[in-house]
């Protein structure tokens, strides 16, 4: 069966510090991968998606970037965090060609 | 503009009191509508996919239905463990468009 991991689960970082969130998927090959941010009381906002190694599409211009160095690894990064980067970050995967997405446990990021 | 609207924002029910959650959408050529359950501090859990008007899916106390403009998530005789936020999403091209969710609270 497929499993998706995210770490860390929670993170508190000062403004201006760098960020690296990691997501890995097990039990499947060539998945589509997604990074979302969820604000309280609002729908999920798609940040990045990837259909393959090194292939990243950005949905929202912002302070964040994403990379996919391996088939089942997806990384969300920032060089300098802003207060507005605080939120709940979710990684998801889907089978290539299918629309159902399956989510990881999420990372709660607080920027102080 | 493609949009997904969920109502109500919050719903409080007594255990055993059945009700429905609504997801209305405006999207050209629906290619799929999804329901997810999300517990506090966790990632959304996939529940159902619906593709065409008239389609229904069931899982335990939940039943999802779809019309040309909206979907309903019916909850029959809910239990406290059904308390969660229920999210709806529709497919638009390569991505999902999400509603803000309905927070369901079931009181024992």
């Amino acid at each position: 069966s497929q499993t998706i991991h995210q770490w860390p689960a929670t993170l508190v970082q000062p403004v201006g510090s760098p960020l690296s969130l990691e997501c890995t998927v097990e039990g499947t090959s060539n998945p589509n991968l997604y990074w979302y941010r969820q604000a309280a009381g609002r729908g999920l906002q798609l940040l990045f998606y990837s259909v393959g190694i090194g292939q990243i599409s950005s949905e929202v211009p912002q302070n964040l970037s994403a990379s996919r160095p391996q088939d089942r690894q997806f990384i969300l990064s920032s060089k300098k965090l802003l207060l507005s980067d605080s939120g709940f970050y979710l990684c998801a995967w889907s089978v290539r060609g299918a629309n159902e997405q399956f989510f990881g446990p999420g990372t709660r990021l607080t920027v102080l | 503009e493609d949009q997904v609207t969920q109502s109500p924002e919050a719903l409080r029910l007594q255990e055993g009191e059945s009700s429905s959650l609504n997801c209305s959408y405006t999207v050209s050529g629906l290619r799929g509508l999804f329901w997810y359950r999300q517990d506090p501090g966790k990632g959304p859990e996939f529940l159902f996919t619906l593709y065409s008007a008239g389609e229904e899916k069931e899982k335990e106390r939940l039943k999802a239905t779809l019309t040309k403009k909206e979907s309903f998530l019916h909850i029959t005789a809910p239990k406290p463990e059904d308390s969660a936020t229920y999210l709806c999403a529709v497919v638009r091209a390569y991505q999902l468009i999400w509603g803000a969710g309905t927070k369901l609270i079931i009181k024992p």
Side-chain angles (χ1 to χ4, degrees):
Chain A
S1 64
Q2 298 85 9
T3 308
I4 179 168
H5 303 278
Q6 281 186 251
W7 64 91
T10 60
L11 190 60
V12 180
Q13 293 285 92
V15 170
S17 64
L19 173 73
S20 181
L21 303 182
E22 189 164 343
C23 170
T24 59
V25 182
E26 296 178 354
T28 187
S29 297
N30 304 313
N32 289 341
L33 296 173
Y34 309 84
W35 277 113
Y36 286 91
R37 178 166 57 203
Q38 186 176 33
R42 301 183 65 179
L44 277 69
Q45 179 188 34
L46 180 64
L47 302 176
F48 302 94
Y49 76 97
S50 171
V51 298
I53 296 174
Q55 301 179 63
I56 309 294
S57 294
S58 173
E59 290 301 306
V60 182
Q62 57 201 327
N63 188 42
L64 302 171
S65 62
S67 62
R68 184 170 178 175
Q70 300 180 41
D71 180 48
R72 291 171 291 176
Q73 184 184 30
F74 206 21
I75 297 172
L76 183 68
S77 303
S78 174
K79 292 182 179 179
K80 289 186 178 182
L81 284 168
L82 306 173
L83 286 174
S84 58
D85 291 323
S86 294
F88 191 48
Y89 288 83
L90 290 158
C91 180
W93 72 274
S94 68
V95 172
R96 193 72 59 84
N99 294 308
E100 291 88 347
Q101 295 180 14
F102 302 94
F103 287 83
T107 294
R108 174 71 61 189
L109 172 65
T110 303
V111 183
L112 301 175
Chain B
E1 180 185 354
D2 297 335
Q3 198 168 3
V4 176
T5 303
Q6 292 189 246
S7 61
E9 290 185 9
L11 181 62
R12 296 174 183 269
L13 301 172
Q14 289 295 132
E15 183 174 1
E17 181 184 1
S18 302
S19 188
S20 297
L21 312 182
N22 178 264
C23 170
S24 63
Y25 60 90
T26 54
V27 62
S28 302
L30 182 69
R31 293 169 50 198
L33 183 144
F34 305 89
W35 282 99
Y36 287 79
R37 169 194 170 125
Q38 186 175 24
D39 292 306
K42 297 187 177 181
E45 174 190 349
F46 173 77
L47 292 174
F48 304 110
T49 306
L50 301 167
Y51 288 106
S52 56
E55 188 175 359
E56 298 183 353
K57 295 276 182 71
E58 288 189 63
K59 180 179 180 180
E60 296 181 354
R61 295 175 292 281
L62 300 176
K63 183 169 79 172
T65 61
L66 181 65
T67 72
K68 289 185 177 180
K69 294 184 177 180
E70 58 192 348
S71 177
F72 292 93
L73 185 65
H74 307 277
I75 302 175
T76 302
K79 299 181 178 181
E81 54 262 41
D82 294 321
S83 296
T85 295
Y86 290 85
L87 301 171
C88 169
V90 299
V91 177
R92 182 185 70 185
Y94 53 84
Q95 63 177 283
L96 299 183
I97 307 302
W98 294 84
T102 293
K103 184 175 183 178
L104 178 65
I105 300 171
I106 308 299
K107 298 180 179 181

